[in-house]
């Protein structure tokens, strides 16, 4: 039976291998400290946080999230540890909440590995505090217990760490928040919270069954796409049913016109199982939504989450098997008598056999889940609309200029090493909620190491042109404009499809003068639209102002940029998305190293993708490193040119919805 704790109450723990699950409703930082008998923390090596997530017997999330799972093995903590304190803090992100009193009360549950709740605690009564010691697990007379603490700190993470005796608490808190900011920059933004009616339908018992031990899970993070009911959050894409637009009246409204505030209808009935006891055949659109497009979008996100969590369960089970084998070997071989004769060899064989048995069972469960997801992917991919489809999907051959904006746009694929052939479409919400940076530098990936520098730069610009073409293709005619800064003129070949089709707002800008002219025009546009929105007078904008959404492609940054131009670019990255001005940067960060940390906020504000395969993106639930694969047009195909020709023709005829 679950013990529902109140502040100060304790409860005996029936087992030593646990999960601590946190649900906060807004991204929070989760960490833990190890303390001695008096609760003193003896240095930073006794603190688990996103920048250093693992300690003996303890693992925390690598990023800020609304949901976390912390893994705890009390048998593996050092003998000197008598207390494990779970800490929560609000991340120091611009525009985010600064006190717990402004957000929903966090909920913490201590569970067994199979998910059964042992004790829960809701942290009510918080107000000005931005950090809180949620609960502590402590050892007394050989038994482990959990106590609900709920001690908040208005001074934030630094004050909380100082209270536990940590030397240099302010500096450590600053480094933790910097690690969180880096993690948020690389994380794919999750969908908004779903209502009970909005849960994804799962056909297979395998994915829904109790899983082996699960690694720490990070909930919603701030950085890329987003589906389901409610408004969206970060670092990333868009989803079906967010609240109604709060944008201005008149000709400018950059909120998605079909996002609803009420719960969407349930998915349609699915095909019955062919045989009793076997999972039903997967069906395209088996998620909630107001339209098939929205259902497919939510289904893709459901597949993404399923793959993240089932892989986490597998990896955690393997880690547990290895840890258990090591402990059994240590116990067996610590006795000198076991080293005589064959006792030691038998102990090793038995420990390894148990490890192999646990690992094989975990792999069987993983393979079962992967097979179901692969079958679902095979059904979903052919059913995707053009905005969600890869370039080789036949839907592009039947392309027509749309009459309304789609829910999201596919900008690549993601996969994990456990099954590299199972690709999950990476969908970003429209309108774009953050800019995109195509990294043309040499990364640590194997694909980048095998590609010379010049080719990487060419591939990066080709990738940017393809993304711009997709954006032009999925917007109604005349509702999306593209500008290009190519200061050195080095991207003429890559830009040819955009230039030759006539879809650009003007010729690519070259030289310092061209850079200054384009940036001044777009900066003026952002200023005017912001002033009109604040004044509630969108109808009073100058008649020459293009109210279509704007995309600025910047090649070879910072070539041609002076300090003023760099400042304007940062302004566009920060303020532009909310008023329909977006960045698509093609740059090598090393080329801009002379600016030092001045440009760090710029890089963090953009979604980084690569022209070749690279495992730099993280999911918002568990924090796996996912390999990003860019979309490519089929060899010899002219689909890109054909699509752009239709966009250009629609613009010439002035056809608008």
């Amino acid at each position: 039976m679950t013990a529902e704790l109140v502040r100060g109450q304790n409860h005996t723990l029936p087992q030593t291998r646990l999960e601590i699950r946190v649900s906060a409703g807004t991204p929070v930082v989760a960490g833990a400290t190890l303390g001695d008998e008096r609760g003193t923390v003896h240095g930073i090596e006794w603190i688990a946080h996103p920048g250093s997530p693992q300690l003996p017997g303890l693992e925390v999330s690598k990023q800020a999230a609304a949901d976390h799972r912390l893994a705890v093995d009390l048998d593996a903590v050092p003998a000197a540890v008598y207390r494990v304190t779970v800490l929560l803090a609000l991340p120091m992100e611009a525009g985010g909440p600064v006190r717990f009193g402004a957000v929903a009360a966090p909920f913490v549950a201590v569970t067994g590995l199979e998910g059964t709740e042992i004790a829960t605690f809701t942290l009510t009564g918080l107000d000005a505090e931005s950090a809180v010691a949620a609960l502590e697990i402590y050892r007394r007379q050989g038994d482990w217990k959990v106590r609900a603490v709920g001690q908040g700190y208005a001074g934030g993470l630094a004050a909380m760490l100082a209270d536990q005796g940590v030397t240099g608490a302010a500096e450590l808190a600053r480094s933790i928040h910097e690690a969180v900011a880096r993690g948020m920059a690389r994380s794919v933004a999750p969908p908004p919270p779903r209502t009970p009616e909005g849960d994804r339908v799962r056909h297979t018992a395998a994915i829904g069954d109790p899983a082996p031990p699960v690694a720490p899970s990070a909930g919603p993070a701030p950085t890329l796409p987003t589906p389901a009911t409610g408004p969206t959050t970060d670092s990333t894409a868009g989803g079906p049913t967010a609240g109604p637009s709060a944008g201005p009246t008149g000709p400018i409204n950059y909120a998605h016109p079909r996002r609803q505030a009420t719960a969407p209808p349930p998915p349609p009935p699915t095909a019955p199982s062919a045989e009793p006891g076997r999972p039903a055949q997967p069906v395209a659109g088996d998620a909630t939504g107001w339209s098939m497009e929205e259902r497919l979008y939510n289904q893709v996100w459901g597949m993404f989450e399923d793959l993240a969590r089932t892989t986490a369960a597998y990896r955690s089970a393997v880690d547990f098997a290895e840890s258990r084998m090591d402990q059994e070997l240590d116990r067996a071989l610590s006795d000198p008598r076991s080293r005589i004769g064959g006792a030691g060899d038998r102990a090793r064989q038995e420990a390894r056999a148990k490890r192999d048995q646990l690992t094989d069972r975990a792999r069987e469960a993983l393979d079962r889940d992967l097979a179901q997801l692969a079958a679902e992917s095979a059904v979903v991919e052919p059913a995707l609309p053009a905005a969600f489809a890869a370039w080789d999907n036949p839907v592009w051959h039947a392309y027509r200029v749309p009459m309304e904006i789609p829910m999201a746009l596919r900008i690549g694929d993601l996969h994990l090493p456990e099954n590299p052939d199972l690709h999950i479409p990476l969908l970003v919400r429209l309108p774009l909620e953050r800019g995109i940076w195509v990294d043309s530098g040499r990364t640590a990936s194997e694909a980048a190491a095998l590609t010379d520098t010049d080719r990487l730069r060419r591939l990066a610009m080709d990738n940017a042109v393809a993304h711009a073409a997709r954006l032009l293709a999925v917007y109604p005619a005349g509702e999306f404009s593209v500008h290009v800064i190519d200061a050195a003129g080095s991207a003429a070949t890559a830009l040819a499809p955009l230039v030759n089709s006539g879809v650009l707002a003007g010729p690519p800008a070259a030289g310092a003068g061209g850079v200054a002219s384009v940036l001044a025009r777009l900066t003026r546009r952002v200023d005017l639209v912001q002033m009109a929105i604040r004044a509630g007078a969108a109808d009073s904008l100058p008649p020459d102002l293009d109210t279509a959404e704007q995309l600025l492609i910047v090649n070879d940054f910072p070539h041609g940029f002076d300090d003023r131009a760099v400042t304007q670019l940062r302004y566009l990255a920060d303020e532009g998305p909310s008023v329909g001005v977006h960045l698509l940067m093609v740059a090598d960060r090393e080329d801009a190293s002379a600016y030092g940390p001045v440009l760090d906020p710029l890089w963090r504000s953009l979604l980084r993708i690569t022209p070749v395969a690279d495992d730099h993106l993280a999911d918002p639930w568990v924090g796996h490193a996912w390999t990003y694969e860019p979309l490519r047009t089929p060899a010899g195909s002219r689909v890109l040119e054909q699509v752009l020709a239709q966009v250009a023709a629609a613009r010439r005829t002035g056809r608008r919805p």
Side-chain angles (χ1 to χ4, degrees):
M1 183 174 179
T2 303
E4 297 181 3
L5 305 181
V6 297
R7 190 175 275 104
Q9 188 177 1
N10 60 37
H11 182 74
T12 301
L13 294 171
Q15 58 199 84
T16 56
R17 192 162 169 82
L18 310 161
E19 277 189 354
I20 299 174
R21 302 185 179 187
V22 178
S23 180
T26 189
V28 296
V29 182
T33 59
L34 304 180
D36 60 15
E37 289 183 275
R38 291 176 294 182
T40 303
V41 179
H42 293 274
I44 60 174
E45 64 276 8
W46 280 35
I47 305 173
H49 56 82
S52 179
Q54 290 184 317
L55 293 178
L58 182 63
E59 186 173 3
V60 304
S61 305
K62 299 177 183 178
Q63 59 197 55
D67 298 300
H68 293 268
R69 291 185 184 180
L70 284 64
V72 180
D73 184 355
L74 297 172
D75 289 335
V77 299
V81 171
Y82 280 78
R83 187 178 301 178
V84 179
T85 305
V86 176
L87 315 175
L88 303 178
L90 293 170
M92 298 174 61
E93 58 173 324
V98 296
R99 60 187 186 90
F100 274 108
V103 300
F107 173 80
V108 184
V110 180
T111 77
L113 296 181
E114 73 290 346
T116 303
E117 289 185 348
I118 300 170
T120 63
F121 175 42
T122 302
L123 284 76
T124 57
L126 298 176
D127 186 14
E129 299 89 344
S130 59
V132 60
L135 55 77
E136 64 181 14
I137 298 173
Y138 63 98
R139 178 163 47 187
R140 178 164 298 171
Q141 297 178 346
D143 293 328
W144 286 98
K145 298 182 178 182
V146 59
R147 176 186 293 122
V149 180
Q151 174 64 54
Y153 295 83
L157 192 56
M160 181 165 55
L161 293 173
D163 192 42
Q164 296 189 34
V166 178
T167 303
E171 182 179 350
L172 176 59
R174 186 164 50 251
S175 70
I176 292 173
H177 283 299
E178 288 174 356
V180 170
R182 290 193 298 271
M184 294 172 81
R186 64 183 285 267
S187 173
V188 176
R194 301 181 184 182
T195 62
E197 298 85 357
D199 288 343
R200 167 174 149 80
V201 174
R202 306 188 184 203
H203 296 302
T204 172
I207 296 178
D209 281 348
V214 179
S217 166
T223 353
L224 190 77
T226 334
T229 62
T232 178
T233 48
D234 147 51
S235 5
T236 2
T241 50
S245 165
T249 59
I252 300 179
N253 185 341
Y254 297 106
H256 196 283
R258 290 180 292 131
R259 292 182 186 169
Q260 307 291 327
T262 56
T270 56
S273 176
E275 298 178 26
R278 293 180 63 85
Q281 295 300 312
V283 177
D286 78 335
T288 58
W290 294 94
S291 65
M292 178 55 77
E293 177 196 48
E294 186 173 342
R295 288 171 177 160
L296 287 168
Y297 176 61
N298 282 339
Q299 187 172 12
V300 168
W301 265 92
M303 293 164 59
F304 188 10
E305 182 176 0
D306 284 349
L307 182 54
R309 293 199 183 279
T310 194
T311 303
Y314 167 72
R315 293 180 180 179
S316 184
V318 171
D319 290 344
F320 171 67
E322 294 285 349
S323 174
R324 181 168 132 173
M325 180 186 71
D326 292 341
Q327 292 176 19
E328 290 180 352
L329 288 175
D330 288 343
R331 285 196 297 268
L333 300 179
S334 62
D335 185 353
R337 292 172 297 180
S338 67
R339 302 172 194 167
I340 302 173
D345 292 337
R346 285 194 300 274
R348 292 188 186 92
Q349 291 174 0
E350 290 174 0
R352 287 168 182 157
K354 290 180 182 177
R355 184 272 314 272
D356 293 343
Q357 183 182 22
L358 289 173
T359 301
D360 290 345
R361 284 167 49 196
R363 186 70 211 194
E364 287 176 6
L366 175 67
D367 288 342
R368 187 172 62 245
D369 290 354
L370 292 178
Q372 176 67 12
L373 286 168
E376 187 172 9
S377 177
V379 171
V380 169
E381 277 285 356
L384 295 176
F388 299 178
W391 285 115
D392 59 358
N393 191 309
V395 71
W396 283 105
H397 295 292
Y399 167 77
R400 294 292 181 270
V401 176
M403 302 297 286
E404 56 185 12
I405 305 170
M407 199 67 68
L409 182 76
R410 185 172 183 166
I411 63 168
D413 290 338
L414 299 172
H415 63 81
L416 291 171
E418 281 75 7
N419 190 342
D421 295 330
L422 178 55
H423 286 207
I424 302 295
L426 176 55
L427 303 178
V428 295
R429 295 185 73 158
L430 294 180
L432 293 173
E433 294 164 349
R434 66 189 297 200
I436 296 175
W437 163 30
V438 184
D439 190 350
S440 60
R442 186 171 296 281
T443 64
S445 72
E446 181 180 355
L450 297 174
T451 309
D452 65 70
T453 302
D454 291 340
R455 178 165 171 75
L456 275 176
R457 292 180 183 272
R458 289 196 302 273
L459 288 174
M461 196 59 201
D462 289 342
N463 197 247
V465 168
H467 290 312
R470 290 176 75 89
L471 283 163
L472 284 163
V474 301
Y475 270 78
E479 293 195 7
F480 198 86
S481 297
V482 177
H483 310 261
V484 176
I485 290 178
D486 184 22
S490 61
T493 301
L495 289 169
L498 297 177
V499 174
N500 295 341
S501 63
V503 295
L504 293 179
V515 171
S517 175
V518 172
L519 291 176
R521 189 161 62 249
L522 291 177
T523 301
R524 171 180 174 269
R525 184 192 182 284
V526 171
D527 290 339
L528 288 174
V529 174
Q530 285 186 334
M531 287 189 292
I533 291 175
R534 284 195 292 267
D539 291 330
S540 65
L541 287 167
D544 64 334
L545 188 89
D546 182 6
T547 58
E549 292 202 40
Q550 312 287 311
L551 177 72
L552 174 60
I553 303 176
V554 179
N555 183 43
D556 278 349
F557 176 80
H559 187 86
F561 282 71
D562 57 18
D563 290 347
R564 175 179 172 81
V566 169
T567 301
Q568 289 176 315
L569 191 71
R570 287 186 54 187
Y571 176 71
L572 292 178
D574 292 339
E575 303 294 333
S578 63
V579 290
V581 178
H582 314 284
L583 285 185
L584 178 51
M585 299 269 293
V586 179
D588 179 355
R589 189 167 182 171
E590 287 300 314
D591 292 344
S593 58
Y595 287 94
V598 171
L599 289 180
D600 285 352
L602 172 65
W603 303 121
R604 284 200 296 263
S605 70
L606 303 172
L607 171 63
R608 175 177 171 258
I609 59 176
T610 51
V612 294
D614 189 87
D615 62 347
H616 66 283
L617 289 176
D619 67 80
W621 303 284
V622 183
H624 293 314
W626 292 72
T627 297
Y628 168 82
E629 292 272 3
L631 297 176
R632 304 197 189 282
T633 56
S637 170
R638 294 190 55 79
V639 62
L640 192 69
E641 291 79 2
Q642 292 166 0
V643 167
L644 289 174
Q646 289 202 44
V647 172
R651 290 187 171 203
R652 285 193 298 270
T653 59
R655 181 166 65 85
R656 295 178 69 122

